[in-house]
Structure formats: structure tokens, C-alpha cells
Amino acid sequence: MNKYRMSFFLSFLGFFICVSKVKSELSASLFTPTTKTEQILYISSDDKIKYLKLTDEINLYFNDGSKSVFKSKHPTSQFELITSYAKVKSALVVDEAPLSTIKLRRNKDIYLSDYGETKKDFILTAKGDFPSFHLNDAWLTFLDWEKRTLNLLFLPFTQKASYQLKLTHGRNPFFVPKTAMANQEAFFYTDGNEKGEEAVIYFNMTTKKFRIIHKVTDAGQTLSLCSFSDRLFVAQFSITSKAPNQIFEIKNWSGTQIPQKNLLYENMLKHRGGIICAPFSGTLSFLRRPNDGPKNEFSVVQFDPANKVSEVLLGDYSFTSLFYMDKRLMASEGGKFYVVSKK
């Protein structure tokens, strides 16, 4: 699932964890730099597995040992490490020479390794961008900027993509599809038409048939996805539209009947980004502007689809992004990164 992209790229070097001033009912553990030689890519929630960038190589720290698992060709290379909550595989996205081109839409090298693997290095597997793991890391999806395709790779067979889905979004050349996978047959992704109107598409990997199961009402809305087993949740948030922000659960997506859309959440306040999935808790998180306060202020909100209750976890910050690193909910503000957790 695309929403479980657990990567963390800091613009500064080094780290330590300290407790910041609590601004609401939750605590926010702040990551701040201490040394000039280390850069965080990933830290597991139990702190037993760490991937750090040291100058031009990636080191894996485990228990009381460490090992170099990747060495770059250029000192200016940029890295991003992606894992899922399953922690079976790890993907390393490498941009070897980011300063050599002004081309923003470019494929990068995607390397794969077993999570926490100490005996083998990362192996070059594909060229693309925005990789995401699905179904306990049995599948990897990634965007191919050059071919404008969304590739699905079954990881036991990595020589060739199992499926290449052509994207048709004609208005936004930088459009990145959101993805989710319910089972070995059902794959969901977002795409758009020439007007910029996004839709959720169901692709049956057995029959190779496509079906549009949800569309936005205008081009000023954007979609994001979450799938917990066979349950599919779609968030429809407004960018420039005055329409309400909504979260649906969509049923009957695999049959011949019209898909059933159950409205679970609706709010007129400004939202930022999309929904972030937590399959281990069955909750969705997102950023939402408070009822009153500065226009640039966004709070962390957690929504439980089971009881349709949303809870403001942390406010009084100007958060710009939200993501999970392992099972820790992370939020960023002004170049700083916080771990959001209940007291």
C-alpha cells in the first residue's frame, strides 16, 4: 500500500531523540542532529534495526553490530529507504547524480533486500520511482516516468514486471498514482482524465479487466487509498474545490453490481495531503486545519472507520506531511520531524 510508505529523509545530518514541549494532549518526540557523519533513513520502532547514510554508503545497524549494505557511485547521491509494516523487504531508491540534470520526472534505481539482512547487499531490481510494498511485501509497485506506466512486480520473480498499467492522466505531468492491494487478485490505483478529474480503478489481476469504481466530482479534488484485507477506503480531499472532504468505504468493487459507497467521514475544514494507513490498528490518519487558528496550522487527526470517530491527536503545529516509520506516526514541521504518540 502506498499509504505505508515508511521512509524518512532528513535535510540535516545525525540524530538523537528528545522530548519536545507538549502542545496538546499528546507528546511529540523531536528528532534533532548531533553529529556530522550520519543521516537517518530508517529506524524500527524497537530501535533494533537502523539504516543510516554515512558519507557515500548505507550502513545497517543491528543489535550490537553494523554492516555496509550499499555504496554509491557519487558523493552527492540521494537515498530513500522504504519498508512496510510487514517488515519483510526493504527498498532503497537511489538517485546517483541529482545535480547533473534539471529533469524532475526521472527514473531512479530501485534496489531490494530482505529487511534487516546482514549477509547480502541490496540488489538492483528496477528503474522507476515511488515504490510501495503490498500483501506482506509479496508485491512491489512503482512508477515508470519514461513509459508513464504503473508497474506491478511479484517479488519471487523480479526479472520482469508482472503487469504494466498505462496511465492516462493528461492534465498533470507530475501526477503520482495512489495504490492499494486487497488480495492476490484485486489491485486498486488512481488515475485521471484529460480534465484532471481523478478516479479509482479496480484492476483484476486474473482476468486483466479494469473497472472504474469511484470518480471525483471536479478537478479540484484528489484521491488517496487504504486497504485493510478486503476493505477498501477512499479519501476524497479538496485542493481548490469548495466541496467537502470525505472518506468512503467502497464495497462490491469486484462484482458486476454498481459499487456501493458508504460515507464514513465528512468535513469542510481544509485538509492537507491524503490518508495514512495503519493496518495494525485499523485506523486512518491525516492533516486537518483546526476550527480556528492560523491558516498555516494543521493538526494530526486519527479516524477510526469502525465507529466513525475522528480524534485530534496533536494540534498547534504547522505540519506539512505525515507518514509512518514502522509503527511510529511521524509528522514534519519546518524541517523538523516528530513522533506523535499518546501519553
Side-chain angles (χ1 to χ4, degrees):
M1 305 176 180
N2 198 13
K3 323 310 48 327
Y4 310 103
R5 184 171 178 143
M6 302 172 197
S7 61
F8 186 46
F9 189 85
L10 300 182
S11 59
F12 48 74
L13 301 178
F15 77 96
F16 72 88
I17 299 176
C18 64
V19 177
S20 69
K21 181 180 179 181
V22 177
K23 296 185 179 182
S24 71
E25 64 269 35
L26 295 198
S27 64
S29 299
L30 174 65
F31 284 71
T32 54
T34 56
T35 71
K36 297 182 179 181
T37 59
E38 297 175 346
Q39 191 172 55
I40 303 168
L41 293 179
Y42 172 86
I43 303 177
S44 64
S45 57
D46 58 10
D47 293 327
K48 292 183 179 181
I49 297 294
K50 303 176 183 178
Y51 287 93
L52 305 180
K53 176 182 179 292
L54 281 72
T55 311
D56 60 348
E57 64 181 353
I58 305 299
N59 271 27
L60 167 64
Y61 290 79
F62 53 95
N63 297 329
D64 296 327
S66 66
K67 180 184 183 297
S68 175
V69 292
F70 183 85
K71 187 174 179 63
S72 63
K73 300 175 183 178
H74 304 280
T76 59
S77 296
Q78 293 182 350
F79 304 92
E80 185 179 12
L81 190 95
I82 293 95
T83 66
S84 76
Y85 69 94
K87 294 190 290 188
V88 177
K89 297 286 186 179
S90 296
L92 182 66
V93 182
V94 181
D95 192 352
E96 287 285 6
L99 303 180
S100 65
T101 179
I102 60 173
K103 187 178 181 180
L104 298 178
R105 295 180 298 162
R106 62 181 183 274
N107 288 338
K108 303 167 186 175
D109 294 332
I110 300 176
Y111 294 79
L112 292 183
S113 176
D114 291 339
Y115 175 85
E117 173 61 57
T118 60
K119 297 181 180 179
K120 298 179 181 179
D121 294 343
F122 280 86
I123 298 174
L124 180 61
T125 304
K127 288 186 177 295
D129 206 358
F130 297 100
S132 182
F133 290 108
H134 306 269
L135 298 186
N136 292 324
D137 300 353
W139 287 85
L140 179 80
T141 60
F142 61 92
L143 173 64
D144 187 325
W145 284 115
E146 296 178 0
K147 297 180 180 179
R148 288 301 295 167
T149 59
L150 180 58
N151 292 4
L152 285 69
L153 187 65
F154 187 49
L155 293 186
F157 306 100
T158 58
Q159 285 73 27
K160 183 179 180 181
S162 302
Y163 305 95
Q164 292 183 326
L165 310 182
K166 189 69 175 178
L167 297 174
T168 61
H169 200 300
R171 186 168 181 176
N172 181 7
F174 298 98
F175 173 76
V176 178
K178 307 301 189 300
T179 61
M181 192 175 289
N183 51 54
Q184 294 288 349
E185 183 178 88
F187 178 67
F188 309 94
Y189 67 101
T190 61
D191 201 356
N193 58 21
E194 66 281 354
K195 297 180 181 179
E197 298 166 338
E198 295 183 19
V200 179
I201 301 173
Y202 162 58
F203 173 62
N204 187 305
M205 295 187 289
T206 300
T207 64
K208 298 183 181 180
K209 292 183 178 181
F210 298 85
R211 184 188 190 193
I212 296 177
I213 59 176
H214 179 76
K215 290 182 64 176
V216 300
T217 56
D218 62 58
Q221 298 171 310
T222 187
L223 299 172
S224 55
L225 309 175
C226 275
S227 179
F228 302 150
S229 298
D230 286 341
R231 301 186 68 186
L232 176 66
F233 300 96
V234 175
Q236 180 172 290
F237 290 167
S238 296
I239 304 174
T240 58
S241 171
K242 295 183 179 180
N245 300 281
Q246 299 171 320
I247 297 177
F248 302 89
E249 180 178 3
I250 299 184
K251 300 181 179 180
N252 298 333
W253 36 261
S254 62
T256 58
Q257 299 177 338
I258 297 176
Q260 178 185 347
K261 303 175 186 179
N262 295 334
L263 180 62
L264 305 179
Y265 168 91
E266 186 172 84
N267 193 290
M268 292 300 299
L269 294 172
K270 179 70 175 178
H271 288 54
R272 171 176 284 172
I275 50 176
I276 308 300
C277 315
F280 43 85
S281 64
T283 59
L284 313 173
S285 298
F286 47 87
L287 296 176
R288 186 181 71 193
R289 185 173 293 166
N291 289 314
D292 50 21
K295 290 185 177 181
N296 63 342
E297 183 177 302
F298 283 85
S299 303
V300 179
V301 178
Q302 189 175 77
F303 176 71
D304 188 346
N307 53 29
K308 302 181 182 180
V309 172
S310 59
E311 176 186 7
V312 177
L313 296 184
L314 197 63
D316 301 330
Y317 285 84
S318 299
F319 290 127
T320 56
S321 66
L322 194 66
F323 57 94
Y324 272 100
M325 181 187 292
D326 199 354
K327 293 184 179 181
R328 290 185 290 200
L329 183 61
M330 308 286 294
S332 65
E333 177 199 41
K336 297 179 181 180
F337 294 81
Y338 299 83
V339 179
V340 182
S341 58
K342 293 185 179 181
K343 294 180 181 181

